[in-house]
Short mmCIF file of all heavy atoms in Angstrom, two decimals:
data_model
loop_
_atom_site.label_atom_id
_atom_site.label_comp_id
_atom_site.label_asym_id
_atom_site.label_seq_id
_atom_site.Cartn_x
_atom_site.Cartn_y
_atom_site.Cartn_z
N MET A 38 -25.16 -31.29 -40.63
CA MET A 38 -25.87 -30.09 -40.17
C MET A 38 -26.23 -30.22 -38.68
O MET A 38 -26.06 -29.28 -37.90
CB MET A 38 -27.15 -29.88 -40.99
CG MET A 38 -27.90 -28.60 -40.63
SD MET A 38 -29.37 -28.36 -41.61
CE MET A 38 -30.43 -29.63 -40.94
N ILE A 39 -26.68 -31.40 -38.26
CA ILE A 39 -27.02 -31.62 -36.85
C ILE A 39 -25.77 -31.52 -35.99
O ILE A 39 -25.78 -30.90 -34.91
CB ILE A 39 -27.74 -32.98 -36.67
CG1 ILE A 39 -29.14 -32.91 -37.27
CG2 ILE A 39 -27.81 -33.36 -35.20
CD1 ILE A 39 -29.87 -34.25 -37.31
N GLU A 40 -24.66 -32.13 -36.44
CA GLU A 40 -23.41 -32.07 -35.67
C GLU A 40 -22.91 -30.63 -35.58
O GLU A 40 -22.44 -30.19 -34.52
CB GLU A 40 -22.35 -32.98 -36.30
CG GLU A 40 -22.61 -34.46 -36.09
CD GLU A 40 -21.63 -35.35 -36.85
OE1 GLU A 40 -20.73 -34.81 -37.54
OE2 GLU A 40 -21.77 -36.57 -36.75
N THR A 41 -23.00 -29.88 -36.69
CA THR A 41 -22.58 -28.47 -36.69
C THR A 41 -23.43 -27.66 -35.71
O THR A 41 -22.91 -26.87 -34.92
CB THR A 41 -22.70 -27.87 -38.10
OG1 THR A 41 -21.94 -28.66 -39.01
CG2 THR A 41 -22.22 -26.45 -38.13
N ARG A 42 -24.72 -27.90 -35.76
CA ARG A 42 -25.64 -27.18 -34.84
C ARG A 42 -25.35 -27.56 -33.39
O ARG A 42 -25.35 -26.69 -32.52
CB ARG A 42 -27.09 -27.50 -35.21
CG ARG A 42 -28.10 -26.78 -34.38
CD ARG A 42 -28.04 -25.29 -34.62
NE ARG A 42 -29.00 -24.64 -33.78
CZ ARG A 42 -28.80 -23.49 -33.16
NH1 ARG A 42 -27.68 -22.84 -33.34
NH2 ARG A 42 -29.72 -22.99 -32.39
N GLN A 43 -25.08 -28.86 -33.14
CA GLN A 43 -24.75 -29.31 -31.78
C GLN A 43 -23.46 -28.65 -31.31
O GLN A 43 -23.36 -28.23 -30.16
CB GLN A 43 -24.64 -30.84 -31.73
CG GLN A 43 -24.41 -31.39 -30.35
CD GLN A 43 -25.57 -31.12 -29.41
OE1 GLN A 43 -26.73 -31.29 -29.78
NE2 GLN A 43 -25.29 -30.68 -28.21
N LYS A 44 -22.47 -28.54 -32.21
CA LYS A 44 -21.20 -27.89 -31.84
C LYS A 44 -21.44 -26.42 -31.52
O LYS A 44 -20.88 -25.88 -30.56
CB LYS A 44 -20.19 -28.04 -32.97
CG LYS A 44 -18.83 -27.47 -32.62
CD LYS A 44 -17.80 -27.84 -33.64
CE LYS A 44 -16.43 -27.32 -33.40
NZ LYS A 44 -16.13 -26.44 -32.36
N GLU A 45 -22.26 -25.75 -32.33
CA GLU A 45 -22.60 -24.35 -32.06
C GLU A 45 -23.26 -24.21 -30.69
O GLU A 45 -22.95 -23.29 -29.92
CB GLU A 45 -23.52 -23.80 -33.15
CG GLU A 45 -22.84 -23.56 -34.47
CD GLU A 45 -23.82 -23.10 -35.56
OE1 GLU A 45 -25.01 -22.85 -35.23
OE2 GLU A 45 -23.38 -23.01 -36.71
N ILE A 46 -24.18 -25.09 -30.37
CA ILE A 46 -24.88 -25.05 -29.08
C ILE A 46 -23.88 -25.29 -27.94
O ILE A 46 -23.89 -24.58 -26.93
CB ILE A 46 -26.04 -26.07 -29.05
CG1 ILE A 46 -27.15 -25.62 -29.99
CG2 ILE A 46 -26.57 -26.24 -27.63
CD1 ILE A 46 -28.23 -26.66 -30.22
N ASP A 47 -23.00 -26.31 -28.13
CA ASP A 47 -21.99 -26.59 -27.11
C ASP A 47 -21.06 -25.38 -26.91
O ASP A 47 -20.72 -25.01 -25.78
CB ASP A 47 -21.16 -27.82 -27.48
CG ASP A 47 -21.98 -29.12 -27.41
OD1 ASP A 47 -23.06 -29.10 -26.76
OD2 ASP A 47 -21.53 -30.13 -28.00
N ASP A 48 -20.67 -24.74 -28.03
CA ASP A 48 -19.82 -23.54 -27.94
C ASP A 48 -20.54 -22.41 -27.22
O ASP A 48 -19.94 -21.68 -26.43
CB ASP A 48 -19.39 -23.09 -29.34
CG ASP A 48 -18.37 -24.03 -29.97
OD1 ASP A 48 -17.78 -24.85 -29.22
OD2 ASP A 48 -18.16 -23.93 -31.20
N MET A 49 -21.84 -22.28 -27.51
CA MET A 49 -22.62 -21.23 -26.84
C MET A 49 -22.67 -21.47 -25.33
O MET A 49 -22.49 -20.54 -24.53
CB MET A 49 -24.04 -21.14 -27.42
CG MET A 49 -24.07 -20.47 -28.77
SD MET A 49 -25.67 -20.35 -29.64
CE MET A 49 -26.90 -20.51 -28.43
N TYR A 50 -22.88 -22.75 -24.93
CA TYR A 50 -22.89 -23.06 -23.50
C TYR A 50 -21.52 -22.79 -22.88
O TYR A 50 -21.41 -22.26 -21.77
CB TYR A 50 -23.29 -24.52 -23.26
CG TYR A 50 -24.79 -24.73 -23.25
CD1 TYR A 50 -25.39 -25.62 -24.14
CD2 TYR A 50 -25.60 -24.08 -22.34
CE1 TYR A 50 -26.75 -25.83 -24.12
CE2 TYR A 50 -26.96 -24.29 -22.32
CZ TYR A 50 -27.53 -25.16 -23.22
OH TYR A 50 -28.88 -25.36 -23.19
N GLU A 51 -20.46 -23.18 -23.60
CA GLU A 51 -19.10 -22.94 -23.10
C GLU A 51 -18.82 -21.44 -22.98
O GLU A 51 -18.28 -20.97 -21.97
CB GLU A 51 -18.08 -23.59 -24.04
CG GLU A 51 -16.65 -23.49 -23.53
CD GLU A 51 -15.68 -24.18 -24.47
OE1 GLU A 51 -16.04 -25.20 -25.07
OE2 GLU A 51 -14.56 -23.67 -24.58
N ASN A 52 -19.23 -20.67 -24.01
CA ASN A 52 -19.05 -19.22 -23.96
C ASN A 52 -19.87 -18.60 -22.84
O ASN A 52 -19.41 -17.67 -22.17
CB ASN A 52 -19.42 -18.59 -25.31
CG ASN A 52 -18.41 -18.92 -26.39
OD1 ASN A 52 -17.27 -19.27 -26.11
ND2 ASN A 52 -18.83 -18.81 -27.64
N ALA A 53 -21.07 -19.12 -22.64
CA ALA A 53 -21.91 -18.60 -21.56
C ALA A 53 -21.25 -18.89 -20.21
O ALA A 53 -21.25 -18.03 -19.31
CB ALA A 53 -23.30 -19.22 -21.62
N GLY A 54 -20.69 -20.09 -20.06
CA GLY A 54 -19.99 -20.42 -18.81
C GLY A 54 -18.77 -19.53 -18.62
O GLY A 54 -18.52 -19.03 -17.51
N SER A 55 -18.01 -19.29 -19.69
CA SER A 55 -16.85 -18.41 -19.61
C SER A 55 -17.28 -16.99 -19.27
O SER A 55 -16.65 -16.31 -18.46
CB SER A 55 -16.08 -18.40 -20.94
OG SER A 55 -15.58 -19.67 -21.24
N ALA A 56 -18.36 -16.54 -19.93
CA ALA A 56 -18.87 -15.19 -19.66
C ALA A 56 -19.33 -15.08 -18.21
O ALA A 56 -19.10 -14.06 -17.55
CB ALA A 56 -20.01 -14.86 -20.62
#
Side-chain angles (χ1 to χ4, degrees):
M38 184 179 71
I39 289 173
E40 287 174 1
T41 304
R42 182 66 182 141
Q43 184 64 45
K44 184 170 179 354
E45 288 176 7
I46 291 170
D47 291 342
D48 288 345
M49 284 177 22
Y50 277 122
E51 185 178 326
N52 289 339
S55 297

